[in-house]
Amino acid sequence: MAKDLTGKKVAFLGAGKMGGIILQALLKSGLLSPKSTFATVAHEERAEALAARLKVKVGTNNVEAARKADIIVIGVKPQVVEDVIREIHGHITPNQLIVSVAASVPTSMIEKNLSGNVPVVRAMPNTPCQLGAGMTAISKGKHASAEDVAMTCHMFEVVGRTVVVDEKHMDAVTALSASGPAYIYIILESLAEAGVKVGLPRDVATLLAAQTALGSARVVLETGDHPALLKDAVTTPAGCTIDAIMELEEGKLRVTLIKAVVKAAQRAKELAFG
Ligand SMILES: NC(=O)c1ccc[n+]([C@@H]2O[C@H](COP(=O)([O-])OP(=O)(O)OC[C@H]3O[C@@H](n4cnc5c(N)ncnc54)[C@H](OP(=O)(O)O)[C@@H]3O)[C@@H](O)[C@H]2O)c1
């Protein structure tokens, strides 16, 4: 399958939070046209509301949406993926591409529920995709080609950055960048609370915390410098920052973050479907 999305029909099965974010972004970017886009949800009233908002065909019939599509994006909850694949399997051919964003669902589980060598690509995005600042890791299934992976990257580049990884890393990706926004929000909430504690108005404290996180992340991404070196540049001998760092070390911030990601990765593995 060529990398270009022009003229491709795309069906989003399960256009909820994540599916909806990607669907909207692709429509807004012009990469997909409303007339070549189909979506499904579970509830009829949600379908009507989504169709009115996005001006695309939205229904509850997965077979009808999937059979017409060149690319089928699976956006339902992980525990529903197998049912949806079984429902559509008789209508899917190896000329179509399945892209699944479901956590803990290996490509092999989808492949074994389809007949023939249908290409499957797995993608693990995160919620900042809603502002085009997402991070999506992408891995190929057994029958997917390099072009299928390139096409999937092309779709997700509309909502942020992409990286191609081996599927064995997907639970780690889920734990780090898919769950990651939750950890960062806790850190931001805590820094804002700290600002309030030292006398700042809450809105100012939240702005200072969020813009500092954004700026620091951009420096890491744009300079490629090691975060430890960048931290050293902020830490004046006998200054204020080193006192704060001592508190962070005593509170075991580093090891706590490491353990949190390890736990989430273990949980993603435990939940594996199929
Ligand atoms: N949220 C995240 O941060 C995130 C990050 C990475 C990956 N993911 C993955 O994205 C997937 C969806 O998560 P989400 O947070 O977007 O959940 P969500 O908002 O609950 O979306 C799920 C959607 O699936 C629809 N649905 C349920 N059963 C269906 C069926 N049989 N056929 C068609 N549609 C059906 C639901 O319809 P109704 O609206 O009518 O109920 C809903 O719109 C999950 O597999 C998750 O692992 C999520």
Side-chain angles (χ1 to χ4, degrees):
M1 186 174 278
K3 187 184 160 187
D4 195 358
L5 271 174
T6 315
K8 294 268 181 280
K9 295 193 181 87
V10 182
F12 289 79
L13 308 187
K17 278 192 289 294
M18 190 46 76
I21 286 171
I22 297 154
L23 166 57
Q24 272 192 70
L26 287 169
L27 288 169
K28 199 170 159 207
S29 70
L31 222 56
L32 285 184
S33 78
K35 69 176 188 347
S36 57
T37 307
F38 313 90
T40 63
V41 290
H43 301 94
E44 204 58 65
E45 65 281 9
R46 271 261 310 138
E48 281 166 27
L50 204 58
R53 188 157 60 84
L54 299 181
K55 314 275 181 267
V56 297
K57 288 188 203 80
V58 189
T60 54
N61 188 329
N62 291 322
V63 169
E64 200 183 301
R67 72 184 345 161
K68 291 183 277 207
D70 301 298
I71 302 173
I72 298 149
V73 180
I74 306 290
V76 293
K77 291 282 189 199
Q79 60 275 21
V80 185
V81 173
E82 191 164 9
D83 290 346
V84 168
I85 297 295
R86 286 194 173 160
E87 195 185 332
I88 63 174
H89 94 277
H91 307 271
I92 302 299
T93 73
N95 295 327
Q96 292 168 293
L97 167 65
I98 307 263
V99 177
S100 164
V101 300
S104 299
V105 178
T107 52
S108 58
M109 189 273 249
I110 297 174
E111 287 159 356
K112 81 171 187 224
N113 282 292
L114 293 168
S115 327
N117 296 343
V118 178
V120 180
V121 173
R122 189 168 161 192
M124 187 43 58
N126 64 11
T127 51
C129 285
Q130 66 192 282
L131 292 182
M135 181 69 238
T136 305
I138 289 161
S139 58
K140 73 185 276 303
K142 197 161 62 175
H143 311 302
S145 64
E147 286 76 23
D148 295 326
V149 172
M151 168 78 84
T152 309
C153 287
H154 186 45
M155 282 174 69
F156 283 90
E157 274 155 17
V158 171
V159 287
R161 291 180 182 239
T162 60
V163 64
V164 177
V165 299
D166 193 284
E167 192 170 5
K168 71 173 186 242
H169 294 308
M170 273 308 204
D171 291 336
V173 165
T174 303
L176 181 53
S177 58
S179 299
Y183 321 150
I184 304 294
Y185 295 134
I186 291 175
I187 291 171
L188 291 179
E189 188 193 1
S190 311
L191 288 175
E193 205 76 347
V196 170
K197 174 70 182 162
V198 292
L200 294 168
R202 185 169 293 279
D203 57 342
V204 174
T206 304
L207 171 67
L208 295 180
Q211 179 61 26
T212 302
L214 179 65
S216 308
R218 275 191 62 190
V219 173
V220 171
L221 290 171
E222 287 174 29
T223 64
D225 286 348
H226 193 291
L229 279 180
L230 296 167
K231 174 210 67 183
D232 288 354
V234 186
T235 314
T236 314
C240 317
T241 311
I242 190 66
D243 277 5
I245 289 174
M246 278 177 62
E247 289 292 329
L248 294 178
E249 297 296 5
E250 209 169 283
K252 299 188 168 38
L253 179 73
R254 277 169 203 269
V255 76
T256 305
L257 287 173
I258 294 167
K259 285 167 80 175
V261 173
V262 169
K263 272 273 182 209
Q266 282 166 354
R267 184 67 182 141
K269 202 182 178 80
E270 246 172 59
L271 288 173
F273 293 84

